[in-house]
Amino acid sequence: MRKLLEIIILLSIFITQVFSAEINLRDYDEIDIPAGTHIPVISLQEFSTAYCEEGDAVSFITTSDIYLYNKNVIPEGTKLTGYIDKKNEPIIGTNAAMRVFVNKMYLKDGYEIPIKSFIYTANNNIIGGGLTPPAEYIRIPHYQRWTMFRAMGTLQCVPGAKRKMGEHVTIASGADLIIVLVAPIHMTHTVVN
């Protein structure tokens, strides 16, 4: 009986100490950064369709802090890495094009977070791929007015059907770019200053 009483007393002391002590931990609530968020970055290396292939690694660094409400979720200096997802060579009439997929984010303390994002462009996140200038111009008469049953006109140069050969697209080292998230980031870790 005495042993049972000792166990009950020890158990009650332990339970009161556990519930009365507040553990001072960092805020580990999950933070969701929504899809469509733009992250300003600079390129750490030059990459081009002339000498890079699909799958070549590229890296970037953020240029400003990204806040969600009052919490700095992506601090300035965060490294992002990815690879060239798709590459098209230049052809007659069209410049070269590439799409860069960014898949990892490294916070300043070394913590790695997987992400899904692309380098943002208005052309469906494809860098380059524009139409080349015309290779020839054709002269066509342009009639402005009729005077006394006679046409008054001038010759006008319009683009012909032939186009020039496309050129390679290059992103310079230190170029300002924007990364757009295509899936939300579920962060359980933030850098505490």
Side-chain angles (χ1 to χ4, degrees), residues 103-107 111-115 185-187 189:
N103 61 351
K104 289 185 184 171
M105 177 171 65
Y106 299 94
L107 298 175
Y111 193 80
E112 178 183 331
I113 298 172
I115 63 172
I185 301 175
H186 304 291
M187 292 184 69
H189 178 85

Side-chain angles (χ1 to χ4, degrees), residues 28-42:
Y28 280 102
D29 291 337
E30 186 172 304
I31 299 168
D32 286 336
I33 302 173
T37 302
H38 290 163
I39 304 170
V41 296
I42 59 171

Side-chain angles (χ1 to χ4, degrees), residues 124-160:
N124 197 19
N125 301 329
I126 295 174
I127 302 167
L131 194 63
T132 60
E136 65 181 4
Y137 287 90
I138 301 170
R139 298 167 123 200
I140 295 179
H142 177 70
Y143 298 105
Q144 297 172 351
R145 63 177 190 197
W146 289 83
T147 308
M148 301 283 290
F149 304 107
R150 211 173 73 193
M152 301 292 290
T154 58
L155 286 177
Q156 181 181 14
C157 292
V158 296

Side-chain angles (χ1 to χ4, degrees), residues 56-136:
D56 286 356
V58 292
S59 54
F60 311 94
I61 284 191
T62 59
T63 58
S64 64
D65 294 329
I66 305 295
Y67 284 89
L68 190 61
Y69 304 111
N70 61 350
K71 183 168 272 194
N72 185 2
V73 290
I74 302 176
E76 181 179 350
T78 300
K79 185 177 180 182
L80 295 112
T81 61
Y83 58 91
I84 297 174
D85 180 40
K86 183 178 179 183
K87 175 185 157 188
N88 293 335
E89 292 291 333
I91 58 173
I92 295 174
T94 306
N95 292 322
M98 66 179 155
R99 186 173 60 196
V100 178
F101 182 72
V102 181
N103 61 351
K104 289 185 184 171
M105 177 171 65
Y106 299 94
L107 298 175
K108 286 184 175 182
D109 60 357
Y111 193 80
E112 178 183 331
I113 298 172
I115 63 172
K116 291 181 182 176
S117 59
F118 289 101
I119 297 293
Y120 175 75
T121 63
N123 187 17
N124 197 19
N125 301 329
I126 295 174
I127 302 167
L131 194 63
T132 60
E136 65 181 4

